Short mmCIF file of all heavy atoms in Angstrom, two decimals:
data_model
loop_
_atom_site.label_atom_id
_atom_site.label_comp_id
_atom_site.label_asym_id
_atom_site.label_seq_id
_atom_site.Cartn_x
_atom_site.Cartn_y
_atom_site.Cartn_z
N ASN A 72 43.69 41.88 10.52
CA ASN A 72 44.61 41.05 9.74
C ASN A 72 44.75 39.59 10.31
O ASN A 72 45.90 39.09 10.46
CB ASN A 72 46.04 41.74 9.72
CG ASN A 72 45.96 42.93 8.75
OD1 ASN A 72 45.28 42.92 7.70
ND2 ASN A 72 46.67 43.98 9.10
N ARG A 73 43.58 38.97 10.53
CA ARG A 73 43.64 37.57 10.99
C ARG A 73 42.44 36.86 10.50
O ARG A 73 41.43 37.47 10.13
CB ARG A 73 43.74 37.52 12.50
CG ARG A 73 42.56 38.06 13.24
CD ARG A 73 42.83 38.13 14.73
NE ARG A 73 41.71 38.69 15.52
CZ ARG A 73 40.73 37.91 16.00
NH1 ARG A 73 40.73 36.60 15.87
NH2 ARG A 73 39.69 38.41 16.66
N CYS A 74 42.54 35.53 10.52
CA CYS A 74 41.47 34.68 10.04
C CYS A 74 40.59 34.27 11.19
O CYS A 74 41.08 33.84 12.24
CB CYS A 74 42.05 33.41 9.39
SG CYS A 74 40.88 32.36 8.53
N VAL A 75 39.24 34.40 11.10
CA VAL A 75 38.32 34.10 12.19
C VAL A 75 37.20 33.23 11.62
O VAL A 75 36.99 33.06 10.43
CB VAL A 75 37.70 35.41 12.73
CG1 VAL A 75 38.78 36.25 13.36
CG2 VAL A 75 36.96 36.19 11.67
N VAL A 76 36.44 32.60 12.64
CA VAL A 76 35.24 31.77 12.26
C VAL A 76 34.15 32.69 11.81
O VAL A 76 33.85 33.72 12.39
CB VAL A 76 34.88 30.93 13.44
CG1 VAL A 76 33.74 29.96 13.04
CG2 VAL A 76 36.06 30.05 13.88
N SER A 77 33.40 32.27 10.80
CA SER A 77 32.33 33.10 10.23
C SER A 77 31.07 32.85 11.06
O SER A 77 30.13 32.20 10.72
CB SER A 77 32.05 32.72 8.83
OG SER A 77 33.21 32.91 7.94
N THR A 78 31.06 33.52 12.24
CA THR A 78 29.91 33.39 13.15
C THR A 78 29.27 34.71 13.48
O THR A 78 28.37 34.83 14.31
CB THR A 78 30.27 32.70 14.45
OG1 THR A 78 31.35 33.48 15.04
CG2 THR A 78 30.65 31.24 14.20
N ASP A 79 29.81 35.87 12.86
CA ASP A 79 29.27 37.19 13.20
C ASP A 79 27.89 37.34 12.60
O ASP A 79 27.49 36.63 11.68
CB ASP A 79 30.21 38.22 12.56
CG ASP A 79 31.55 38.24 13.32
OD1 ASP A 79 31.57 37.74 14.48
OD2 ASP A 79 32.55 38.70 12.82
N THR A 80 27.18 38.33 13.09
CA THR A 80 25.84 38.64 12.58
C THR A 80 25.93 39.09 11.12
O THR A 80 25.10 38.66 10.31
CB THR A 80 25.16 39.69 13.46
OG1 THR A 80 25.18 39.22 14.81
CG2 THR A 80 23.75 39.95 12.98
N CYS A 81 26.87 39.99 10.82
CA CYS A 81 27.04 40.48 9.47
C CYS A 81 28.11 39.68 8.84
O CYS A 81 29.31 39.97 9.05
CB CYS A 81 27.32 41.94 9.55
SG CYS A 81 26.08 42.92 10.27
N LYS A 82 27.85 38.77 7.99
CA LYS A 82 28.88 37.98 7.25
C LYS A 82 29.08 38.58 5.91
O LYS A 82 28.13 39.04 5.22
CB LYS A 82 28.35 36.55 7.06
CG LYS A 82 28.17 35.82 8.46
CD LYS A 82 27.76 34.37 8.12
CE LYS A 82 27.50 33.63 9.47
NZ LYS A 82 27.06 32.37 9.28
N ARG A 83 30.29 38.64 5.46
CA ARG A 83 30.61 39.24 4.17
C ARG A 83 31.77 38.55 3.54
O ARG A 83 32.61 37.87 4.24
CB ARG A 83 30.88 40.73 4.24
CG ARG A 83 32.14 41.06 4.98
CD ARG A 83 32.30 42.50 5.27
NE ARG A 83 33.61 42.79 5.89
CZ ARG A 83 34.71 43.11 5.25
NH1 ARG A 83 34.73 43.12 3.93
NH2 ARG A 83 35.81 43.35 5.89
N LYS A 84 31.94 38.57 2.24
CA LYS A 84 33.05 38.02 1.53
C LYS A 84 34.11 39.11 1.27
O LYS A 84 33.77 40.20 0.82
CB LYS A 84 32.60 37.49 0.24
CG LYS A 84 31.53 36.39 0.39
CD LYS A 84 31.99 35.12 -0.32
CE LYS A 84 30.90 34.06 -0.07
NZ LYS A 84 31.27 32.84 -0.34
N VAL A 85 35.36 38.88 1.63
CA VAL A 85 36.43 39.83 1.44
C VAL A 85 37.30 39.41 0.23
O VAL A 85 37.67 38.26 0.18
CB VAL A 85 37.27 39.98 2.72
CG1 VAL A 85 38.41 40.90 2.54
CG2 VAL A 85 36.43 40.34 3.94
N ASN A 86 37.45 40.39 -0.68
CA ASN A 86 38.33 40.15 -1.81
C ASN A 86 39.78 40.31 -1.35
O ASN A 86 40.22 41.40 -1.01
CB ASN A 86 38.03 41.07 -2.96
CG ASN A 86 38.72 40.77 -4.24
OD1 ASN A 86 39.59 39.84 -4.30
ND2 ASN A 86 38.42 41.43 -5.31
N CYS A 87 40.47 39.15 -1.36
CA CYS A 87 41.85 39.16 -0.84
C CYS A 87 42.77 40.00 -1.66
O CYS A 87 43.79 40.51 -1.24
CB CYS A 87 42.39 37.74 -0.74
SG CYS A 87 41.49 36.70 0.50
N ASP A 88 42.45 40.14 -2.96
CA ASP A 88 43.32 40.95 -3.84
C ASP A 88 43.25 42.38 -3.53
O ASP A 88 44.18 43.16 -3.86
CB ASP A 88 42.89 40.73 -5.29
CG ASP A 88 43.11 39.20 -5.69
OD1 ASP A 88 44.00 38.58 -5.07
OD2 ASP A 88 42.37 38.70 -6.62
N GLU A 89 42.20 42.80 -2.85
CA GLU A 89 42.01 44.24 -2.56
C GLU A 89 42.58 44.63 -1.22
O GLU A 89 42.54 45.78 -0.80
CB GLU A 89 40.54 44.66 -2.66
CG GLU A 89 39.94 44.47 -4.02
CD GLU A 89 38.48 44.82 -4.01
OE1 GLU A 89 37.94 45.11 -2.90
OE2 GLU A 89 37.89 44.81 -5.10
N ILE A 90 43.01 43.59 -0.44
CA ILE A 90 43.55 43.89 0.91
C ILE A 90 44.97 44.52 0.86
O ILE A 90 45.86 44.00 0.13
CB ILE A 90 43.61 42.56 1.74
CG1 ILE A 90 42.24 41.93 1.84
CG2 ILE A 90 44.25 42.81 3.11
CD1 ILE A 90 41.32 42.80 2.66
N ILE A 91 45.08 45.60 1.47
CA ILE A 91 46.41 46.24 1.55
C ILE A 91 46.76 46.48 2.96
O ILE A 91 45.93 46.37 3.89
CB ILE A 91 46.40 47.60 0.77
CG1 ILE A 91 45.41 48.58 1.47
CG2 ILE A 91 46.05 47.45 -0.69
CD1 ILE A 91 45.45 49.98 0.90
N SER A 92 48.03 46.68 3.23
CA SER A 92 48.49 46.86 4.55
C SER A 92 47.87 48.13 5.24
O SER A 92 47.73 49.13 4.56
CB SER A 92 50.02 46.88 4.67
OG SER A 92 50.47 47.99 3.92
N THR A 93 47.47 47.96 6.51
CA THR A 93 46.89 49.09 7.17
C THR A 93 47.88 49.91 7.93
O THR A 93 48.77 49.33 8.56
CB THR A 93 45.81 48.58 8.13
OG1 THR A 93 44.94 47.76 7.43
CG2 THR A 93 45.08 49.69 8.81
N PRO A 94 47.88 51.20 7.77
CA PRO A 94 48.84 52.03 8.53
C PRO A 94 48.65 51.92 10.01
O PRO A 94 47.66 51.38 10.51
CB PRO A 94 48.57 53.40 8.05
CG PRO A 94 47.18 53.45 7.42
CD PRO A 94 46.98 52.04 6.91
N SER A 95 49.58 52.31 10.76
CA SER A 95 49.52 52.18 12.22
C SER A 95 48.29 52.97 12.71
O SER A 95 47.93 54.01 12.29
CB SER A 95 50.81 52.85 12.83
OG SER A 95 50.70 52.83 14.23
N ARG A 96 47.69 52.31 13.77
CA ARG A 96 46.45 53.01 14.35
C ARG A 96 46.80 54.27 15.09
O ARG A 96 45.96 55.09 15.32
CB ARG A 96 45.79 51.99 15.27
CG ARG A 96 45.31 50.70 14.54
CD ARG A 96 44.57 49.91 15.46
NE ARG A 96 44.01 48.75 14.70
CZ ARG A 96 42.87 48.19 14.91
NH1 ARG A 96 42.13 48.64 15.84
NH2 ARG A 96 42.42 47.16 14.24
N ASN A 97 47.96 54.40 15.47
CA ASN A 97 48.32 55.62 16.23
C ASN A 97 48.52 56.89 15.36
O ASN A 97 48.60 57.97 15.87
CB ASN A 97 49.60 55.37 17.02
CG ASN A 97 49.40 54.29 18.08
OD1 ASN A 97 48.29 54.12 18.57
ND2 ASN A 97 50.40 53.46 18.31
N VAL A 98 48.53 56.67 14.04
CA VAL A 98 48.74 57.76 13.14
C VAL A 98 47.43 58.06 12.40
O VAL A 98 46.82 57.16 11.81
CB VAL A 98 49.87 57.43 12.08
CG1 VAL A 98 50.05 58.62 11.16
CG2 VAL A 98 51.11 57.03 12.82
#
Side-chain angles (χ1 to χ4, degrees):
N72 285 325
R73 62 188 181 93
C74 188
V75 296
V76 182
S77 300
T78 57
D79 294 338
T80 303
C81 300
K82 296 180 180 179
R83 66 187 185 91
K84 300 234 180 197
V85 177
N86 188 353
C87 295
D88 297 332
E89 296 178 357
I90 299 294
I91 63 172
S92 59
T93 306
S95 174
R96 296 185 174 213
N97 298 327
V98 180

